[in-house]
Amino acid sequence: MQLPINRRPVADYPQQLTESTCKLKAKFNLSGYKDVEKKKVVVGGMFPVHKRISSSDGNTSRLPVSSGCEGFNFRTFRWTQTMLFAINEINGRTELLPNTDLGYVIYDSCFTISKAVEGTLTYLTGQDEAVPNYRCGSGAPLAALVGAGGSDLSIATARILGLYHFPQVSYSSTCSALENKFQFPTFLRTIPNDKHQSTAIAQLVLRFGWTWVGTIAADDDYGKYAIKDFKEQVGEAGVCISFSEVLPKVSSPEDIQRIVQTIVEDTAKIIVVFSSDVDLSPLMQELLQHNVTNRTWIASEAWVTSALINRPGVNSVLGGTLGFGVKRADIPGLESHLLDMDPYANPLTEEFWETLFNCTLNYGKAVRQARQRAVEGNATMPRAVRGVPDGLCSGRESIAQLGNTYSDVSQLRITYSVYKAVYAVANALHNLEHCEDGQGPFVGGSCADISKFEPWQLMYYLKNVRFKVPHTGEEVYFEEGDIEGVYDIINWQVDGNGEISYVTVGNYNGSAAPEDRMTLRNDSIMWNNEGMETPRSVCSENCQPGTRKGIRQGEPVCCFDCIPCADGEISNATNARACILCPYDEWSNEAHDACLPKIIEFLAFGEPLGITLIAISAFGALATIAVGVVLFVNLGTPLVKANDALLSFSLLFSLVVTFLSSIVFLGEPQHWSCMTSQAGLALGFALCLSSIMGKTALLMLRARVLKAARLRAKAAARAAKEAAELAREAAESANQIIPDVIVTSSLNNTDTNTCSDPETDRITCGHQRAIAAVATLIQGVACTVWLLILPPHPVENTAAQNIKIILECNEGSVIFICCIFGYDMVLALLAFVFAFIARKLEDHFGEAKSVTFGMLVFFIVWISFVPAYLSTRGKFMVAVQIFAILASSFALLTCIFLPKCYVLLVKPEQNREDMMMPRAKPRDGAYTGTSASLATAGTQVNNSIASTAIDD
């Protein structure tokens, strides 16, 4: 439901305003320095002199008061004094603001946002009671605010100051969020933007190859933004964050203990810390108690030279720390200003003095403390001491003798940034003051009056100021409110006294080219380990060339396993994500880090195995030719003429072909050699086996004829015997004397040639030759078709063996080669069957038996060849094939022709016609023909059977 709106006439508002009253809601409790009397312009300042605000009891039953501060910080107090020194120095210069004295109002932010806001409102109001939107008082105009310390504080104050277009120049707020001019239009700084520092630390981590890094950040915008930028940059480069912890703003022992436990248990040796020294101090104290060593710390500019962190005894924990510090400078006169101090000049100075010397400047307080100590010790105050109680400061103590961080001017970095910030405001005011009318930057060329200018007018001059810092000569100017990102790289080194010294070991310039930004002297760095070697911080060791990274499931990408590359793959870089497949003609070496040309393999003529096979082939061919010569010399003898001499010579010729064809298998395969070797072998075996088949066909037929003749002779003999028995029985029955009758069987007609027998002449010599010719012709036609359609050709076999390219012949068509050599096997099988049937021809020279045995050896060789061929690779496959060719050829040559050569050369007396005749069969007195005799005389199968009676 929408509530009705009460609309009053406009005339009622003045009466309401007169009746209303203003009520102050709060009064702030601020400490600092103020000098505005008789000053032309007032410059504001804000410094975290204290570390925190005092804790309150949380009681809401009484009027709340602004909290005080505690934990005096000598380092930031030096910054405060530097601003006072710079203003006094400027007021004493004649070339800078010669007609203007600068005043100042400086507040303590206590390193908390609330105090920073209090100080900002009070500064803008111009009085102790803050009245927002109003400037109370008629004093000198406010120029700008120098401050407010940490990034969180500056963000809070910049939001307020931006509402009024009031300039703010920070000396230590580096957070990258402050570069946003939409949110912070009047913010400038004399310290580099953290985006430069995050990039610098990321490059440092990558430079040393650290891929396993822990991070610790303060729980504020400074820590969060810086760590975020750092993680993004190293993450793109493959660096993993082992752990990421946040330091509590309010000290929490439980959180500190947890962070220490994480650091101790984690394997990361590099820890990047973006934090102020105040927030980091509790953690360092706890690490020192636990003696956590062997870690390398990467420090941000906020604590890299902080005496709050560099305390006695931290060298074991923080020795070897690397960090980035802003520019360092020597400021003449500053040290004497720091030492020459009146302890009674200001409450803040009094607190500094009392904290520094552990005494009090208040006499009454000193007396009370002395009495309390006396009561606690059950003693009375000595009379002589009652005038000057213990713990009372004299005010004449020497600051220089203490050697405190306040008076240490050896590392003026943030201090120098404060100095530059004050001078930036002063130079902007100088330019504003010396503006010439008509040439001014404002409407109509007007200028601003330095005695009553507006903040936005000074903002114009601050944005465009460009000056050189006194004593150093550094030129300072702003680009979008930032200065260039220049850092010194600082190494914490332990000297001979066991104390840590800051040694500059390099530089970083964010404005330079990427490759020239960082310069680092590695040999000057001292590390926090026994060997003084560059520390390693990795989740997994680098994968060397020859391996690839295998990501572990559920773990960061920096945690991986190194998996060896498979055969044929390589990786030639460290931490390769994948292995590279070698080209087809190359193979990986043993280390898998390079591809090497594959070994070209073929059975060469010149290698020992090739030479051996050539020698054996040549010997076989010469032996075959020698056998042919022997047969040709004895061509007219009965043994040579037996069973067609022409087939014998064709058989010898085919064996020469097979012997020589085996040589063609040697050497690098060529088109002609692939075609010649296979076709020559197929034709050679076809001629050889068909010649044997022609011989054995005749032997088989004659063996069958002889078997039939033997059966007929046995039947005739039985019939004659039975007839004689019947005649004897008839004579006995007639009482006649029958003379003895002798029945004989005669096979003495040996002059009759078997070729005249029509049964034995079914296969003549012409038929044998025709069988051999036709069988060979069929093979020749098949080989011709094969060579024309799908001829064998050389190929590079890369699949048989990984490390070799085997040069071999591709058969062109598996079907064709199977058919061709299958045909040869059919011929061999027929020849074997014919010879096996004719094996029982018994004579002095058993050719059928020799052929049978030769064919058995032939089959054994080729049956053994199949598994041997399939189980070998490369050139040995060719060697096995050649061995099978030679073995089978030698088997046929030896088994068929060795017996003949033995007779012709060793037993020539047996080369006679009668030796070619049949010999008696011992078992039944019958005779069988012989393979040789049947060719010349034939078997006497038609002998006349006569019965002759011989009278006494």
Side-chain angles (χ1 to χ4, degrees):
M1 181 179 66
Q2 185 175 4
L3 296 175
I5 300 176
N6 252 342
R7 301 185 180 274
R8 294 184 180 182
V10 176
D12 292 345
Y13 279 100
Q15 181 179 1
Q16 181 184 6
L17 291 173
T18 58
E19 295 176 354
S20 63
T21 59
C22 295
K23 184 178 181 181
L24 188 64
K25 287 294 184 181
K27 186 173 183 179
F28 301 144
N29 180 17
L30 296 170
S31 60
Y33 293 91
K34 187 175 184 179
D35 182 11
V36 297
E37 295 297 329
K38 298 181 181 180
K39 301 299 180 181
K40 203 169 187 179
V41 178
V42 175
V43 180
M46 196 172 295
F47 298 88
V49 178
H50 290 85
K51 301 176 184 178
R52 55 191 171 273
I53 60 174
S54 303
S55 58
S56 62
D57 56 5
N59 191 347
T60 59
S61 62
R62 62 173 180 266
L63 180 67
V65 294
S66 179
S67 300
C69 301
E70 62 183 13
F72 200 91
N73 192 330
F74 295 108
R75 184 187 183 207
T76 55
F77 186 67
R78 184 181 69 224
W79 301 349
T80 308
Q81 292 299 316
T82 301
M83 180 174 178
L84 296 177
F85 168 77
I87 291 176
N88 292 334
E89 189 178 64
I90 292 168
N91 288 336
R93 287 181 173 274
T94 58
E95 76 281 3
L96 183 64
L97 295 174
N99 303 318
T100 300
D101 278 345
L102 296 179
Y104 52 84
V105 176
I106 300 174
Y107 292 118
D108 178 13
S109 67
C110 299
F111 204 66
T112 57
I113 294 177
S114 61
K115 281 294 178 182
V117 172
E118 289 179 10
T120 304
L121 294 175
T122 303
Y123 177 67
L124 290 174
T125 300
Q127 60 184 20
D128 292 340
E129 294 84 7
V131 182
N133 293 333
Y134 288 90
R135 169 69 179 170
C136 301
S138 58
L142 304 178
L145 177 67
V146 176
S151 296
D152 263 8
L153 280 59
S154 288
I155 288 174
T157 58
R159 291 189 187 279
I160 298 174
L161 295 173
L163 295 175
Y164 305 105
H165 305 283
F166 200 95
Q168 176 183 356
V169 184
S170 177
Y171 51 84
S172 65
S173 299
T174 60
C175 179
S176 59
L178 287 164
E179 69 181 356
N180 188 333
K181 295 307 170 187
F182 180 78
Q183 298 187 54
F184 313 104
T186 61
F187 179 83
L188 305 97
R189 51 189 163 192
T190 56
I191 191 169
N193 190 330
D194 262 346
K195 67 180 182 181
H196 297 297
Q197 184 170 208
S198 297
T199 302
I201 295 180
Q203 287 191 14
L204 182 70
V205 168
L206 297 176
R207 186 186 187 99
F208 288 108
W210 297 325
T211 59
W212 192 236
V213 178
T215 62
I216 298 176
D219 190 14
D220 54 23
D221 290 325
Y222 167 68
K224 292 176 181 177
Y225 277 91
I227 284 295
K228 176 178 175 291
D229 291 343
F230 170 76
K231 288 181 178 178
E232 288 178 353
Q233 295 190 52
V234 297
E236 294 175 356
V239 177
C240 298
I241 304 302
S242 174
F243 64 87
S244 187
E245 294 290 343
V246 177
L247 291 170
K249 293 296 289 184
V250 179
S251 182
S252 170
E254 294 79 10
D255 290 340
I256 296 298
Q257 288 284 352
R258 177 182 52 78
I259 296 173
V260 170
Q261 190 67 23
T262 300
I263 295 173
V264 171
E265 294 177 354
D266 200 87
T267 57
K269 302 300 181 185
I270 306 299
I271 302 175
V272 177
V273 181
F274 279 95
S275 171
S276 67
D277 53 355
V278 175
D279 292 332
L280 182 61
S281 180
L283 175 63
M284 287 303 166
Q285 293 177 9
E286 195 68 24
L287 290 171
L288 188 59
Q289 292 180 5
H290 286 77
N291 193 28
V292 179
T293 59
N294 197 26
R295 301 291 190 280
T296 298
W297 300 82
I298 309 299
S300 64
E301 97 295 337
W303 66 275
V304 68
T305 57
S306 171
L308 187 62
I309 303 299
N310 185 9
R311 293 183 174 182
V314 299
N315 55 349
S316 62
V317 177
L318 293 177
T321 294
L322 279 176
F324 290 81
V326 296
K327 277 187 177 180
R328 174 191 170 278
D330 294 323
I331 305 175
L334 177 62
E335 184 176 14
S336 60
H337 171 82
L338 296 175
L339 298 177
D340 186 17
M341 181 174 289
D342 180 7
Y344 302 101
N346 181 277
L348 196 59
T349 308
E350 290 183 11
E351 183 182 359
F352 159 73
W353 200 274
E354 292 176 350
T355 306
L356 180 62
F357 296 105
N358 194 23
C359 61
T360 178
L361 292 168
N362 189 316
Y363 179 81
K365 183 179 179 181
V367 171
R368 288 192 300 271
Q369 291 176 350
R371 286 176 179 173
Q372 184 177 359
R373 287 193 298 270
V375 172
E376 292 175 355
N378 296 322
T380 58
M381 293 180 59
R383 185 177 298 272
V385 184
R386 291 176 186 175
V388 183
D390 293 338
L392 180 65
C393 298
S394 66
R396 295 185 297 273
E397 289 83 2
S398 174
I399 299 176
Q401 291 180 354
L402 288 181
N404 184 270
T405 183
Y406 164 76
S407 59
D408 182 8
V409 293
S410 62
Q411 293 290 330
L412 299 181
R413 298 182 184 275
I414 304 297
T415 302
Y416 179 52
S417 183
V418 174
Y419 188 72
K420 290 188 290 185
V422 176
Y423 266 91
V425 175
N427 278 273
L429 287 170
H430 181 84
N431 295 338
L432 182 148
E433 183 180 22
H434 291 80
C435 174
E436 297 181 4
D437 287 334
Q439 298 180 3
F442 306 116
V443 177
S446 61
C447 297
D449 186 354
I450 194 168
S451 61
K452 53 180 180 179
F453 63 88
E454 294 296 329
W456 60 268
Q457 292 176 317
L458 179 61
M459 185 65 201
Y460 168 82
Y461 288 99
L462 265 175
K463 288 172 61 177
N464 297 283
V465 72
R466 195 181 191 102
F467 67 97
K468 289 188 176 181
V469 182
H471 313 301
T472 65
E474 178 189 354
E475 188 175 22
V476 175
Y477 58 92
F478 297 105
E479 291 185 358
E480 296 297 323
D482 287 333
I483 64 171
E484 60 182 1
V486 178
Y487 298 90
D488 290 334
I489 303 176
I490 300 171
N491 181 219
W492 288 28
Q493 298 186 4
V494 182
D495 58 22
N497 299 325
E499 297 180 355
I500 288 180
S501 58
Y502 307 119
V503 179
T504 300
V505 295
N507 304 96
Y508 180 85
N509 186 353
S511 303
E515 63 275 8
D516 299 327
R517 288 178 181 175
M518 181 178 290
T519 58
L520 192 62
R521 298 182 294 276
N522 291 0
D523 54 349
S524 300
I525 301 175
M526 183 178 294
W527 301 103
N528 189 18
N529 52 48
E530 295 179 356
M532 294 298 175
E533 298 177 351
T534 303
R536 289 184 54 77
S537 185
V538 295
C539 180
S540 300
E541 291 296 330
N542 290 333
C543 289
Q544 299 302 316
T547 62
R548 66 174 179 85
K549 295 201 303 186
I551 303 302
R552 299 175 186 169
Q553 293 295 329
E555 296 188 30
V557 295
C558 297
C559 301
F560 49 82
D561 296 318
C562 295
I563 302 174
C565 291
D567 289 340
E569 296 180 349
I570 66 162
S571 64
N572 52 12
T574 303
N575 290 332
R577 295 185 177 273
C579 296
I580 305 170
L581 185 64
C582 290
Y584 83 97
D585 58 345
E586 294 182 350
W587 193 251
S588 57
N589 58 0
E590 291 185 3
H592 292 276
D593 58 1
C595 289
L596 302 178
K598 289 185 177 180
I599 300 172
I600 305 298
E601 182 177 273
F602 58 90
L603 190 54
F605 293 102
E607 62 180 287
L609 181 58
I611 295 173
T612 302
L613 293 175
I614 292 175
I616 297 174
S617 300
F619 173 76
L622 293 175
T624 305
I625 294 173
V627 171
V629 171
V630 171
L631 293 183
F632 184 78
V633 170
N634 297 277
L635 186 61
T637 62
L639 183 60
V640 176
K641 291 191 299 180
N643 207 358
D644 197 350
L646 183 59
L647 285 182
S648 297
F649 285 110
S650 68
L651 176 57
L652 290 172
F653 173 75
S654 66
L655 289 176
V656 172
V657 172
T658 57
F659 278 122
L660 296 180
S661 67
S662 63
I663 300 178
V664 186
F665 283 90
L666 298 174
E668 182 176 351
Q670 304 291 336
H671 282 281
W672 68 268
S673 62
C674 290
M675 297 171 65
T676 304
S677 59
Q678 299 291 355
L681 179 64
L683 288 173
F685 273 131
L687 178 59
C688 173
L689 296 171
S690 60
S691 298
I692 295 174
M693 186 178 66
K695 283 177 169 288
T696 54
L698 179 61
L699 294 177
M700 177 195 67
L701 182 60
R702 288 175 176 171
R704 294 180 63 184
V705 169
L706 289 174
K707 184 178 180 181
R710 205 180 301 126
L711 292 176
R712 286 196 299 272
K714 288 182 179 181
R718 284 196 298 269
K721 186 177 180 180
E722 290 175 358
E725 289 293 334
L726 290 175
R728 182 180 290 111
E729 290 177 0
E732 289 177 355
S733 61
N735 294 322
Q736 295 177 356
I737 300 173
I738 304 299
D740 293 332
V741 178
I742 299 174
V743 180
T744 62
S745 175
S746 175
L747 296 174
N748 294 327
N749 191 14
T750 59
D751 294 333
T752 307
N753 195 298
T754 56
C755 288
S756 63
D757 187 355
E759 289 193 31
T760 58
D761 287 339
R762 291 179 185 175
I763 296 181
T764 63
C765 297
H767 290 109
Q768 291 178 281
R769 296 167 187 171
I771 289 174
V774 172
T776 305
L777 182 62
I778 294 173
Q779 183 71 295
V781 173
C783 288
T784 301
V785 174
W786 176 31
L787 295 179
L788 291 176
I789 298 177
L790 292 170
H793 56 277
V795 294
E796 295 181 349
N797 186 348
T798 59
Q801 294 188 27
N802 294 330
I803 62 174
K804 296 179 181 179
I805 297 178
I806 300 173
L807 301 184
E808 60 185 13
C809 292
N810 184 291
E811 293 79 6
S813 172
V814 177
I815 296 177
F816 264 116
I817 197 168
C818 290
C819 292
I820 287 171
F821 285 99
Y823 177 75
D824 284 343
M825 291 300 106
V826 170
L827 294 179
L829 186 61
L830 290 175
F832 172 72
V833 171
F834 293 164
F836 183 78
I837 294 174
R839 75 189 186 282
K840 292 186 178 180
L841 287 174
E842 296 187 7
D843 55 3
H844 295 282
F845 181 76
E847 187 176 15
K849 292 181 179 179
S850 299
V851 173
T852 302
F853 184 71
M855 294 309 300
L856 282 175
V857 176
F858 181 88
F859 281 118
I860 291 172
V861 169
W862 285 102
I863 291 173
S864 302
F865 160 77
V866 174
Y869 184 81
L870 297 177
S871 62
T872 54
R873 292 291 182 270
K875 62 183 180 181
F876 296 104
M877 295 180 69
V878 178
V880 169
Q881 188 172 5
I882 294 175
F883 175 78
I885 296 171
L886 297 177
S888 58
S889 299
F890 273 113
L892 295 177
L893 177 65
T894 303
C895 294
I896 296 175
F897 292 101
L898 183 59
K900 293 183 178 182
C901 291
Y902 176 77
V903 172
L904 294 175
L905 299 176
V906 181
K907 300 288 186 179
E909 66 276 7
Q910 294 182 5
N911 190 7
R912 306 190 310 272
E913 289 291 341
D914 58 332
M915 295 300 295
M916 304 297 110
M917 300 303 291
R919 58 183 178 179
K921 191 173 181 180
R923 183 171 54 188
D924 53 7
Y927 293 93
T928 62
T930 67
S931 58
S933 62
L934 290 175
T936 58
T939 305
Q940 301 300 323
V941 295
N942 295 316
N943 294 328
S944 61
I945 302 173
S947 299
T948 306
I950 303 174
D951 297 332
D952 294 337

